[in-house]
Amino acid sequence: MEKHVKLTKSSVGALTATAAVALGMLAAPTAFAQGGGSGGGSGSGSGSGSRLGPAVSTSGTGTLGSPWTLKSQHDDDGPGPVVGEEFEIKTPAGHVWTVTLADNGTSFFSQDVTADATGLKAMSKTADLGIDQHMSAHAVDKATGEVVDGAVDLPAL
């Protein structure tokens, strides 16, 4: 016996929206990490989209005194809206840090990043969920064991 499914305009719209979110989630983790503001990196995340709201940021010092800054902002840099996160640590050139960025506790970026003469910078993006998002960063210097933990709350637009 053959069954037929009738699609209404609302079910087609819901299906389209679901597909768009799924595609956005696949593209969102595109990342860029490098030491400082110049030099080599990986990925493609320098960000050419438009900012969609005010940035939030916080700063502090790591367990051995290295200053750091964490910034987050809504952006239209992906297929659909995304949340960008930028993490910087003032650390000597050559130091290798394991850096993890997370959104509401779910990691979307994790890699080793080597600092250059201007320090370390890790940037990435994740899907804008349309809710308040708790953006966090965790980094460990592989040579010294210094730990940096930071977080910011990015309100929904």
Side-chain angles (χ1 to χ4, degrees):
M1 175 178 216
E2 192 174 313
K3 292 185 179 182
H4 295 280
V5 177
K6 183 177 180 181
L7 294 177
T8 64
K9 282 184 181 182
S10 62
S11 63
V12 170
L15 209 64
T16 302
T18 300
V21 168
L23 286 172
M25 292 298 287
L26 289 173
T30 302
F32 173 81
Q34 67 183 45
S38 61
S42 67
S44 66
S46 62
S48 59
S50 299
R51 295 180 176 145
L52 299 176
V56 293
S57 67
T58 189
S59 60
T61 55
T63 57
L64 297 178
S66 295
W68 58 267
T69 303
L70 176 64
K71 302 174 197 169
S72 187
Q73 184 162 15
H74 298 280
D75 203 332
D76 67 355
D77 196 18
V82 296
V83 170
E85 191 166 12
E86 179 178 305
F87 185 48
E88 297 179 16
I89 303 172
K90 299 295 182 201
T91 187
H95 280 239
V96 179
W97 292 71
T98 300
V99 178
T100 302
L101 304 178
D103 176 10
N104 291 331
T106 301
S107 174
F108 61 91
F109 173 92
S110 186
Q111 73 180 57
D112 289 346
V113 182
T114 303
D116 70 10
T118 62
L120 173 145
K121 182 185 285 186
M123 298 182 339
S124 190
K125 58 188 172 182
T126 188
D128 186 332
L129 304 175
I131 60 172
D132 292 352
Q133 289 175 256
H134 182 74
M135 310 303 290
S136 60
H138 174 76
V140 178
D141 185 318
K142 293 182 125 183
T144 68
E146 181 172 16
V147 176
V148 171
D149 283 304
V152 294
D153 290 317
L154 184 64
L157 288 178

